[in-house]
């Protein structure tokens, strides 16, 4: 699996960051086109931050569309906003692409330890 580690994608810079991610994934898709589709998956973004879920879904749609222009068969792994929240994923409207694995991270109960 190749994934894009989390960065500073957010509600205010999503246009610029989406274009950068499209360029990155287009390059990676072309580079690894020869690798068997069952042997390599692409995870679009690890733990998208807390942000407007619709902005994230629009970005995902545009990234997937760009990848599919190059490779229609590669399995894509996608998580919802708010650090791949299971709650955001339950509200995430699925893409019209059947070769997507939806993923989540579940950290609850999330306990913070305090020093006394």
């Amino acid at each position: 699996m190749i994934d894009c580690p989390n960065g500073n994608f957010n509600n205010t810079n999503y246009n610029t960051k989406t274009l950068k991610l499209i360029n990155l994934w287009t390059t990676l898709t072309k580079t690894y086109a020869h690798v068997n589709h069952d042997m390599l998956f692409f995870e679009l973004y690890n733990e998208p931050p807390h942000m407007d879920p619709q902005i994230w879904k629009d970005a995902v749609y545009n990234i997937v569309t760009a990848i599919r222009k190059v490779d229609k068969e590669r399995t894509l792994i996608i998580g919802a906003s708010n650090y791949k929240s299971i709650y955001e994923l339950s509200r995430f409207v699925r893409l019209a692409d059947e070769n997507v694995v939806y993923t989540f991270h579940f950290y609850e109960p999330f306990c913070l330890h305090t020093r006394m």
Side-chain angles (χ1 to χ4, degrees), residues 13-86:
N13 69 6
Y14 65 91
N15 283 325
T16 303
K17 293 297 181 178
T18 300
L19 289 175
K20 286 183 179 183
L21 287 169
I22 287 170
N23 290 333
L24 171 69
W25 283 114
T26 300
T27 300
L28 289 170
T29 302
K30 290 175 183 176
T31 301
Y32 292 99
H34 68 282
V35 177
N36 184 303
H37 295 106
D38 293 330
M39 300 300 292
L40 179 63
F41 298 169
F42 293 159
E43 182 175 14
L44 299 188
Y45 198 88
N46 183 40
E47 294 192 336
H50 182 71
M51 61 186 300
D52 182 329
Q54 187 59 49
I55 288 174
W56 175 241
K57 183 180 184 299
D58 291 347
V60 166
Y61 173 83
N62 290 320
I63 297 164
V64 169
T65 299
I67 291 171
R68 291 302 184 220
K69 288 178 182 177
V70 179
D71 187 340
K72 297 188 183 334
E73 297 181 39
R74 182 80 50 207
T75 298
L76 305 177
I77 301 171
I78 299 172
S81 61
N82 200 15
Y83 307 99
K84 287 191 180 178
S85 161
I86 191 170

